[in-house]
Amino acid sequence: MSAENGGGSVVSCNRSVASTWETFKVWRVSPGTYQLRVDNNKFMNAPNNGGGIVQATATLARGWEIFTFTRQGNMVHIQAGNGDYFQAVNKNQVTADLVTPPPWGNNAATFTIEIDESVSLHGEYQLANAWGAGAPQAKTVVKNHRDNFIQESDFEWLSNNGINAVRIPVGWWIAYDPNPPAPYVGGSLQCLDNAFKWGKTHNIKIIVDLHAAPGGQSTFEICSTRDGVAEWATNKTYRDQSIEVIDFLAQRYAKNPALLGIELLNEPFENVIPDISVVNDYYTTGYKTVRKYSKTTYVIMSQVIGHSDDEIVNMANLLPDDNVVMDYHPYNSFVPIYSTLSVEQNIAIVYNQRRDLIRRLNESNAYAFVGEWTDYFECCNGAPGKPNKQDYLKFATAQENVFGHATFGWAFWSYRNAVDRWSYETSATQGYMPRRPVN
């Protein structure tokens, strides 16, 4: 099947090779029922729930856009809401008007599907939706993770190892707990409440970071995008909803002695932002929202990923000099150039470019915060044995030396991770990080 022109017109079957018009993002509604998003982000629909021509013209996914899939191997029969089956009546037209169930095999109502394995999202949305919204298996898996992954003993360990604050990422659905929108599983708010309680006990301050905004501020799973489409910056409804979440968090925690700051948004990406005024306006409104409940809570802005150093400094001067923080995330990865550099060249970037930007941020209206960094880096064109343990230690030491001059400090991404050099706990325990004073 092909969504002609990438969407906005009819659905045909006139291509012998699949490309972007023939690739669909599949939204699971419930086991066996799905919605199909096409290249231009419209949805495939069967007007009047079936009985006529299949189109790809819907802006929103509702009833006419829900289809039932019956599979046999890589073959599928597709039914519209009225029960009629899709069929290719000719190469230029697909209809949803076949009343009788079709046989399996080579016929106009049996379609072959191929899964694009190169597109893989592993965010909380995908985890919670894996068994279908509301499925007991999802609730069991998510609850078990929340109950065991981070506990009070971790806060005690952090305090004993010289850490005095943690940056906690949350998703927008936390504001709707204990009954968040499907497929999310309730309970995230209790986890955050626990963190505040443990932080108070162990003298660790809490930064609450809106890591996943409604609609998605990037195309990556870190913002819990459903299908890799980012709509936060192009849909004011989503930005208004984000402000409601900030209002909820500020109102709930503003008077809590463990609160240090609220981060309005994590890592909006430049390539999905039509105009930077969208982010500036959001940060301005978010700042005013926090200030309704606290005059002293630090209000944190995240850098826009893709911005130059000059643009990051300009954004740091957006808001008043009033406990405002600019969050900067330097990684020596994700960009191919780093893998071509030697260990020493990677470290030189920390001591030169990174130190210079932190100096400039320290002189801006905002406090400077290195809100994410890690011990992992790429180098040496993938040479065997590189980087080694000593290289990692030198790299981490350089970053602590430089990032320690940021006026708001730093936060390592992350405390615990299955990949060792992304785990502060593992790197510190194994001697890949410089020793910190023990309380």
Side-chain angles (χ1 to χ4, degrees), residues 29-55:
V29 178
S30 62
T33 63
Y34 304 90
Q35 293 162 327
L36 300 175
R37 204 176 205 183
V38 302
D39 185 52
N40 72 350
N41 294 329
K42 291 189 181 295
F43 292 87
M44 192 179 295
N45 55 314
N48 301 314
N49 252 351
I53 297 172
V54 177
Q55 303 173 347

Side-chain angles (χ1 to χ4, degrees), residues 246-272:
I246 296 299
D247 189 283
F248 169 84
L249 294 169
Q251 185 176 24
R252 187 176 185 89
Y253 297 112
K255 305 305 179 185
N256 192 306
L259 178 67
L260 179 62
I262 294 177
E263 186 153 4
L264 303 175
L265 187 68
N266 175 72
E267 293 187 352
F269 268 61
E270 182 183 38
N271 64 345
V272 295

Side-chain angles (χ1 to χ4, degrees), residues 66-86:
I66 297 176
F67 309 112
T68 300
F69 282 29
T70 305
R71 289 184 62 179
Q72 186 178 94
N74 66 342
M75 296 184 293
V76 62
H77 293 155
I78 305 173
Q79 288 175 277
N82 69 351
D84 288 355
Y85 290 85
F86 280 32

